[in-house]
Amino acid sequence: MLSALLLSLFIAMLLPFLAKAPLAFAMQKSGGYDNHNPRAQQAALTGFGQRANAAHYNSFEALLIYACAVLTAVGLNAVDQTAVILGWVFIASRIAYLVCYWLDYATTRSLMWLIGMVAAFVIAGRAVL
């Protein structure tokens, strides 16, 4: 079970880089990828590019929460089947979140965000309590 939960953490670590691909595509379409000042270029994006940028940054933010949850469960020896299932719920919700962001499904995206955050906090909460 431990390895399954750690595998989900590894996948969560990859998600910000998966989220970078559509952002790089949008940057390329907006006049070529500006590697000298990419953040300024990203800030000027609109529509899909702006959503891809937000999804990319949010992936890092969510990773911090999830990593803390997983490491709390591991550190307190609280890895069980429920924690593993919640870990995979987190991963599935985060993938759905990215797709919803890219396709501009705002309400569904917010629901996917909520599901992922609840899963992460329940992992940590069960470990601590």
Side-chain angles (χ1 to χ4, degrees):
M1 280 189 274
L2 176 61
S3 61
L5 189 61
L6 291 175
L7 176 60
S8 73
L9 179 56
F10 179 73
I11 292 170
M13 292 167 56
L14 294 174
L15 288 178
F17 301 98
L18 169 68
K20 177 68 176 192
L23 174 57
F25 173 78
M27 292 169 70
Q28 187 63 38
K29 275 187 75 174
S30 73
Y33 191 102
D34 181 0
N35 201 38
H36 294 283
N37 200 354
R39 294 206 181 202
Q41 183 185 20
Q42 291 166 2
L45 293 172
T46 60
F48 172 79
Q50 189 175 48
R51 292 190 311 275
N53 189 37
H56 172 64
Y57 285 116
N58 186 268
S59 294
F60 284 110
E61 295 161 1
L63 174 60
L64 177 63
I65 300 294
Y66 186 61
C68 289
V70 169
L71 295 175
T72 299
V74 170
L76 294 175
N77 199 26
V79 177
D80 60 7
Q81 189 66 27
T82 301
V84 171
I85 290 168
L86 288 169
W88 291 108
V89 166
F90 177 86
I91 296 300
S93 72
R94 292 303 303 174
I95 293 169
Y97 174 89
L98 290 174
V99 172
C100 288
Y101 224 143
W102 297 331
L103 298 176
D104 200 17
Y105 297 150
T107 302
T108 306
R109 181 196 82 226
S110 294
L111 178 61
M112 294 301 105
W113 178 88
L114 180 62
I115 290 169
M117 290 299 106
V118 167
F121 278 99
V122 170
I123 291 169
R126 288 179 76 245
V128 171
L129 301 175

